[in-house]
Amino acid sequence: MMPDYKAKVANAEFSIRKLLGFKRHFRQLKATYHPNLTTELTLPVLIKEEARKSIIMTRYYIVAILLSTLAAYMFSDWSYLYMPACMLFFALLDVRSSAREADRTIACQTKLMVLAIKMWF
């Protein structure tokens, strides 16, 4: 029986091109580090870790957006809604810069983020 994360990675519907990119990164890690350090490393584990890293900062932006929207609702002052809009802008910039830093497309980065959310549930 397949562990839960392996099934979720398999159902993430990454394209062949994206999987080959992950495989290239996997080979680089295997070549760089000592074999004793990478014995547990498999491609699904690597994708799971990349998914976890993809949402680290974005989840704080989401919390800030929710809290500032809640504050606007509680105080009935809709001028507070500029803050969630600004936070959304910064969250999108963070996703774009994370994708660019990892040499991925934004679509692939988004799929990794969705996979990370699915891993929580």
Side-chain angles (χ1 to χ4, degrees), residues 52 54-66 91 94 113 120:
R52 188 191 65 77
S54 72
I55 200 163
I56 287 177
M57 283 303 294
T58 309
R59 64 183 172 191
Y60 297 119
Y61 287 115
I62 292 170
V63 169
I65 289 168
L66 292 175
D94 180 58
M113 293 170 74
W120 287 344

Side-chain angles (χ1 to χ4, degrees), residues 34-71:
H34 192 275
N36 292 344
L37 295 174
T38 59
T39 55
E40 305 276 321
L41 185 65
T42 62
L43 190 57
V45 170
L46 175 71
I47 294 173
K48 175 184 146 189
E49 183 62 25
E50 290 295 317
R52 188 191 65 77
K53 289 186 336 186
S54 72
I55 200 163
I56 287 177
M57 283 303 294
T58 309
R59 64 183 172 191
Y60 297 119
Y61 287 115
I62 292 170
V63 169
I65 289 168
L66 292 175
L67 289 176
S68 56
T69 303
L70 182 64

